[in-house]
Amino acid sequence: MSAGLLIPILALLIPIVAIVTREMRKWQRLDVEAAKRDVDVRRHVRALEQIEKRVGDIEAYVTSPEFQLNRELGRLADQP
């Protein structure tokens, strides 16, 4: 390849490389944003699962005979 042809090819490659690099950075930024959203969604799902477990525990206690007995004893203790 002659030097006369190499210089214009290199001159054309500079903006092409710049454009490709810029687009690669955009895709990387989008990947990072998607990963952050994924982490946020997982955090919210975990929080909801913990709330569901706590509500289930409360429901189990409130419907248990132990709760009814404690309620009756408390009511009797408050009577003069």
Side-chain angles (χ1 to χ4, degrees):
M1 187 177 292
S2 69
L5 187 58
L6 186 62
I7 292 173
I9 290 174
L10 288 174
L12 289 174
L13 281 176
I14 292 171
I16 291 171
V17 168
I19 291 169
V20 168
T21 303
R22 184 183 65 217
E23 294 303 316
M24 287 174 60
R25 284 191 202 126
K26 284 182 186 177
W27 281 105
Q28 288 172 344
R29 191 171 33 250
L30 290 175
D31 287 343
V32 168
E33 291 171 2
K36 286 180 183 178
R37 282 192 302 271
D38 187 46
V39 167
D40 287 341
V41 167
R42 289 179 189 203
R43 186 178 303 129
H44 285 96
V45 166
R46 197 174 318 116
L48 285 174
E49 288 172 348
Q50 290 174 349
I51 290 171
E52 285 178 347
K53 183 186 179 318
R54 290 176 67 190
V55 168
D57 292 345
I58 292 169
E59 287 176 344
Y61 175 68
V62 169
T63 57
S64 72
E66 178 186 349
F67 175 77
Q68 297 300 330
L69 179 62
N70 287 336
R71 182 187 239 180
E72 288 297 317
L73 289 173
R75 189 175 57 80
L76 291 173
D78 288 340
Q79 289 180 352

